[in-house]
Amino acid sequence: MIPASALAATLLSALIHAGWNLFLKGSAGDRLVDLAVLGLGGSLFGCVLIALFGAPVAGAWPFILASSAIHLVYWTALTKGYAAGDMSHVYTIARGIAPALVTLGAVIFAAEMPGVWQGLGVAAISIGVMLVGVNRHAPLAATAWALLTGAMIAGYSLVDAMGVRVNGDVFSYKGWGAVFTFLPISLFVIARRGPAGFAAAAAGRWRQGLFAGALSSAGFMLVLWAQLRAPIGPITALRETSVLFGAALAVLLLKEQVTRRRWAGALVVCAGAMLIGSSG
C-alpha cells in the first residue's frame, strides 16, 4: 500500500498545482509574461535549496539536463497548443494522457508493474481528466500539440522520478532541477519582450507571480519526495486530482459555472484516486 505520507504529499501537491494554474487563468495581462515571472519564482526557490543542500551526486546530472531539455519542448508545445485551440481542451488532453504514459514508462524503465487496482485507478484518473474539457470539435493542430505536450509531461515526470532516486535526496536534486527547468523560459521571454517591456508588463504581478512560481516548484518537489517512497505511475496519476481542486477553486474564487460533464469527470478522478489510495 502507498504510505500515507506519500499520499498526503501528492494530494497537497495537487492542491498547489491547481492554485498556481488559477493564478495564470485569473490573469488579465500577458500570460507569457506571467509564466516568466512564475519561472523566476521557481528559480529563486531552487537557489534557496542549492544554498541549503548543495549539489546532487554526479549520476543525477544526466537526469537534470534531460529534464531541462524535455521542458523546453514542453513549453513550446504548450504555447503552440494554446495558440491553436482552447486552453481547456489542450490542458486536459495533456494532463489526461500523462499518467498512463508515465505508468507504462515506469514498467519499461523502472520495472514497476502496478497492481490491478492501481492500474484501474490510473486509467480512471486519465479518463476523468479527459472528460473535464476535451472538445471533439477542436482543431486537429490543437489536439496534436496537446498530445505532444502530454508526452513531454510524461517524459520529464519519469526522468525526474528516476533521477531523484539516483540522487537519493529530493532537495539538492530539485534545487538544481528548478533552476535548469524554469530559468531558460524566463530568460527567453525577457529577451523576446525586452527588459523594459517585460518589467512594464509584469508590473503589479511580481509578488503573486514569484510566490506562485516558488509554490509550483515546491509542489513538484513534494511529488518527487513521494516517488522516493511509492510507485512512480500511481503517484503521477494522483497528482492529476488537481482537477478536483481546480473545479472547486473555479467555483469559489472565479465564480465559474461548472458543467455536469466537468463534475462527472471530477467524480471519475476521485474514484481513481480512491482505488490507488486503498490498493495494496
Side-chain angles (χ1 to χ4, degrees), residues 113-136:
M113 180 66 71
V116 173
W117 294 114
Q118 286 185 343
L120 289 173
V122 170
I125 287 175
S126 287
I127 292 169
V129 171
M130 295 276 221
L131 278 173
V132 170
V134 172
N135 179 5
R136 65 179 182 274

Side-chain angles (χ1 to χ4, degrees), residues 70-84 90 94 141-153:
I70 293 170
H71 268 89
L72 290 177
V73 180
Y74 162 76
W75 295 123
T76 301
L78 186 65
T79 303
K80 294 284 189 180
Y82 285 167
V90 173
T143 301
W145 284 117
L147 291 171
L148 178 58
T149 302
M152 293 304 101
I153 292 171

Side-chain angles (χ1 to χ4, degrees), residues 104-115:
L104 178 61
V107 172
I108 297 171
F109 297 106
E112 287 188 359
M113 180 66 71

Side-chain angles (χ1 to χ4, degrees), residues 73-247:
V73 180
Y74 162 76
W75 295 123
T76 301
L78 186 65
T79 303
K80 294 284 189 180
Y82 285 167
D86 291 340
M87 180 178 177
S88 60
H89 175 76
V90 173
Y91 180 83
T92 49
I93 287 181
R95 303 308 307 191
I97 68 169
L101 292 177
V102 170
T103 301
L104 178 61
V107 172
I108 297 171
F109 297 106
E112 287 188 359
M113 180 66 71
V116 173
W117 294 114
Q118 286 185 343
L120 289 173
V122 170
I125 287 175
S126 287
I127 292 169
V129 171
M130 295 276 221
L131 278 173
V132 170
V134 172
N135 179 5
R136 65 179 182 274
H137 301 298
L140 181 60
T143 301
W145 284 117
L147 291 171
L148 178 58
T149 302
M152 293 304 101
I153 292 171
Y156 72 66
S157 297
L158 184 60
V159 166
D160 282 333
M162 296 175 67
V164 78
R165 290 181 176 184
V166 169
N167 193 53
D169 168 53
V170 69
F171 300 107
S172 59
Y173 183 91
K174 183 54 186 173
W176 288 93
V179 171
F180 276 82
T181 295
F182 286 109
L183 195 57
I185 186 63
S186 296
L187 294 177
F188 170 76
V189 174
I190 292 170
R192 187 172 177 178
R193 294 287 192 271
F198 173 77
R205 302 289 286 172
W206 284 103
R207 182 179 299 177
Q208 305 101 305
L210 291 175
F211 178 72
L215 204 60
S216 168
S217 196
F220 192 58
M221 185 177 71
L222 286 171
V223 171
L224 294 178
W225 182 87
Q227 287 171 334
L228 278 172
R229 294 157 175 80
I232 296 169
I235 290 297
T236 301
L238 277 174
R239 191 183 185 225
E240 301 312 327
T241 56
S242 61
V243 300
L244 297 174
F245 298 114

